[in-house]
Amino acid sequence: MSEPSIPHPPGGTQSGRPGDPRTGTFESEADEPDPHRWWALAVIATAQLMVVLDATIVNIALPSAQRALGISNGNRQWVITAYTLAFGGLLLLGGRVADLVGRRRTFIIGLIGFAGASAIGGASGGQEMLYLSRALQGVFAALLAPSALSLLTTTFPAGKERAQAFGIFSAIAGGGSAIGLLLGGILTEWLSWRWCLYVNVPIAVLTVIGALTLLRDRRGTTGAHLDILGAFLGSGGLVAIVYGFSRAEALGWTSTEVLTVLSIGVALLVTFAWWQTKSSGPLLPLRIVRDRNRGGSMIVMAMTTIGLFGAFLFLTYFLQNILGYSPLSAGLAFLPLSAGIIIGSTQISARLLPLVAPRLLLVPGLLLSAGGMFSLTFLDIDSTYAGHILPGTILLGFGLGLTFLPIISTATSGVPAKDSGVTSATVNTAQQVGGSIGTSLLNTIATTVTAAYLTSHLAAAAREGGLTPAERTTIVNTGTVHGFTVAIAWAAIILLAAALLGAVMINGKSPRARAAEEEPALRGMPGA
């Protein structure tokens, strides 16, 4: 049975009094909405923006940090994946912590820890310290993100305002990544790459003040338990898979180490799924993802993020290392992508989602995104921004804007109050795991293809009498771009697969259609 796109508020209320069954509201919720709910949304949105943009803000700074700390091309992806992997791997545990100790309290703890980890990262004296700080950021983001989405769900429990709030939230979830690239360019060029990390400290401080002032406290759920073994199995499986993808660049896909690590990762994840059926307090109750629409939405979210992160990583290096853009100019180049996401999400998806089935938005959105991504496979060293990059990024951004809101809304619909934290965490897990695996996998594809190209062409040139420095630079740049475009082609294929999967699995009806179906039954209820 499919879930509605805009859910009724789960659970009871403080007063415990029922309200109007025809609207799905409860008396205290219908009569006493939070008077500060829109200011609360600003606080929640700021925290979400900080978490999302931190996955990409260092992308623009990465070339500068790579040079400053002596990071190799094969290891550069760990600046991104150390964050996304810790984030995605621990989100389910973070969601259960939020259920156990309370959303507001977890939200504040996450903010404070995130600020501290950011300060450590900004002061990094070597690559190991940078990787560690990024992982710590991910740990505290895993506390922060699910409590933020859960607070949003409970602050706007039903109706038109909830659709508007989710439209803003999903625009931030998608557009925040591109905003991070712009902010990263500004900070790197005008200050230092280190300020891409330091900037989180004042943002977190202001958000903590807002949380203490404006957010309603949510008491913990006494029935929630921490599934430590489940966290070990799930996180260990994800780490093994990402590590296996990263090692394939140096050892090859058929090496014993790569195959062994990948097999261990798959085995741990299979064991994790089995354990969730046996644990008395499962980290991820399988009833959450067994729902056809919810499970499909989370898979589509993961696949979509693979393409998004791939575009950010490779276009960042193309703009700076091939076209010679400054960090600020590279950040500005992503503005059309960000604008496309925001317009598609707030002006189209948010307006149409109450009226149409979710897949009528997300499937066309994914097809547009795949088309925009595919257009970027034609890049070469002579490509220009206006002629080759701009059209593809606009199409990609607009398509993603149509996609994110129906995915997030469908994935969080109809969830009992006791599972709101873990469900919110699962949505974020899908996004971050997709980004982590996508960054590692696509970076490995790009570097492997580039290495093969350079080995072949440099050897051939040497047999023909050698190369001038300019000719060698041309071959290196051409090989680098060739690696990028092959990886981007794979990202486009994954987006196409996500569109197909969304069309098949997500069959939920629009809220208007569901209300029309339920109205005859509601008329027969006592007191109707």
Side-chain angles (χ1 to χ4, degrees):
M1 181 177 177
S2 61
E3 301 286 357
S5 294
I6 299 181
H8 300 317
T13 65
Q14 292 176 351
S15 66
R17 295 174 295 177
D20 186 353
R22 291 170 294 187
T23 62
T25 60
F26 293 85
E27 185 172 291
S28 64
E29 291 167 342
D31 296 340
E32 300 177 11
D34 185 351
H36 303 298
R37 59 192 178 279
W38 292 107
W39 284 108
L41 174 61
V43 173
I44 296 168
T46 300
Q48 178 68 11
L49 177 63
M50 184 177 68
V51 168
V52 172
L53 67 80
D54 218 74
T56 57
I57 192 172
V58 298
N59 278 50
I60 292 292
L62 191 51
S64 299
Q66 183 177 356
R67 290 189 296 269
L69 301 180
I71 303 173
S72 68
N73 286 338
N75 286 334
R76 68 189 176 195
Q77 53 99 7
W78 284 107
V79 180
I80 309 298
T81 54
Y83 175 77
T84 57
L85 188 59
F87 189 3
L90 295 174
L91 266 166
L92 292 175
L93 185 62
R96 273 305 180 207
V97 170
D99 287 335
L100 183 63
V101 306
R103 283 69 160 166
R104 179 172 174 264
R105 185 178 302 163
T106 306
F107 184 80
I108 293 171
I109 292 171
L111 283 169
I112 294 172
F114 196 89
S118 299
I120 294 172
S124 295
Q127 56 183 304
E128 293 81 7
M129 186 175 177
L130 181 59
Y131 300 154
L132 176 61
S133 68
R134 292 286 287 164
L136 283 175
Q137 282 184 307
V139 170
F140 286 103
L143 291 176
L144 180 58
S147 56
L149 186 52
S150 184
L151 284 167
L152 177 68
T153 303
T154 53
T155 302
F156 296 89
K160 182 179 178 181
E161 286 189 349
R162 186 178 195 273
Q164 295 172 339
F166 264 70
I168 295 170
F169 188 86
S170 61
I172 290 171
S177 298
I179 293 171
L181 294 168
L182 173 61
L183 184 59
I186 293 172
L187 294 173
T188 301
E189 183 154 333
W190 290 354
L191 296 172
S192 163
W193 65 266
R194 298 179 183 278
W195 275 95
C196 292
L197 296 161
Y198 286 142
V199 70
N200 292 317
V201 177
I203 295 175
V205 170
L206 291 175
T207 309
V208 167
I209 295 172
L212 292 171
T213 306
L214 298 168
L215 295 184
R216 287 185 175 179
D217 200 5
R218 302 290 173 178
R219 290 176 295 182
T221 303
T222 56
H225 301 282
L226 294 183
D227 182 7
I228 302 300
L229 178 58
F232 170 78
L233 293 171
S235 302
L238 293 173
V239 169
I241 288 176
V242 172
Y243 180 75
F245 285 156
S246 68
R247 292 295 290 163
E249 182 267 333
L251 303 177
W253 290 100
T254 59
S255 74
T256 301
E257 179 181 334
V258 170
L259 294 177
T260 300
V261 172
L262 290 176
S263 298
I264 291 173
V266 172
L268 287 173
L269 292 179
V270 170
T271 306
F272 168 78
W274 169 82
W275 173 247
Q276 297 310 285
T277 66
K278 305 296 181 182
S279 173
S280 59
L283 196 63
L284 175 60
L286 295 186
R287 63 181 177 273
I288 291 175
V289 293
R290 282 196 184 115
D291 176 83
R292 173 175 180 166
N293 286 280
R294 189 176 299 117
S297 295
M298 291 176 181
I299 295 172
V300 170
M301 172 66 88
M303 298 174 71
T304 302
T305 314
I306 290 176
L308 179 62
F309 275 58
F312 287 156
L313 180 64
F314 301 127
L315 286 179
T316 295
Y317 273 86
F318 182 84
L319 290 169
Q320 293 192 54
N321 291 359
I322 304 301
L323 297 187
Y325 278 34
S326 68
L328 176 57
S329 297
L332 290 170
F334 282 97
L335 274 182
L337 174 61
S338 180
I341 293 175
I342 293 172
I343 292 172
S345 183
T346 61
Q347 302 304 311
I348 298 179
S349 282
R351 296 174 186 271
L352 294 181
L353 186 59
L355 307 176
V356 303
R359 66 179 170 186
L360 296 183
L361 290 171
L362 68 90
V363 172
L366 287 167
L367 292 175
L368 288 174
S369 300
M373 190 72 73
F374 178 72
S375 72
L376 298 175
T377 64
F378 295 97
L379 293 176
D380 58 40
I381 60 173
D382 297 317
S383 294
T384 62
Y385 174 76
H388 300 90
I389 297 177
L390 181 61
T393 54
I394 290 176
L395 196 60
L396 176 62
F398 188 72
L400 292 172
L402 293 179
T403 303
F404 280 120
L405 176 54
I407 290 178
I408 294 175
S409 181
T410 302
T412 55
S413 294
V415 180
K418 65 179 181 178
D419 290 329
S420 64
V422 72
T423 303
S424 302
T426 306
V427 176
N428 280 287
T429 297
Q431 185 178 19
Q432 295 304 320
V433 167
S436 183
I437 292 177
T439 300
S440 178
L441 174 62
L442 296 177
N443 185 69
T444 296
I445 291 173
T447 53
T448 301
V449 170
T450 295
Y453 182 96
L454 295 181
T455 298
S456 172
H457 286 73
L458 291 177
R463 289 194 299 269
E464 295 174 2
L467 295 168
T468 66
E471 291 172 336
R472 182 179 180 84
T473 298
T474 298
I475 289 178
V476 170
N477 287 344
T478 302
T480 299
V481 174
H482 178 57
F484 291 169
T485 56
V486 171
I488 290 172
W490 278 104
I493 291 171
I494 293 170
L495 288 173
L496 280 176
L500 177 61
L501 186 66
V504 172
M505 289 195 67
I506 301 174
N507 62 355
K509 297 180 180 179
S510 70
R512 182 174 64 177
R514 289 185 62 84
E517 290 179 354
E518 295 170 358
E519 183 64 24
L522 291 172
R523 286 174 182 166
M525 295 179 63

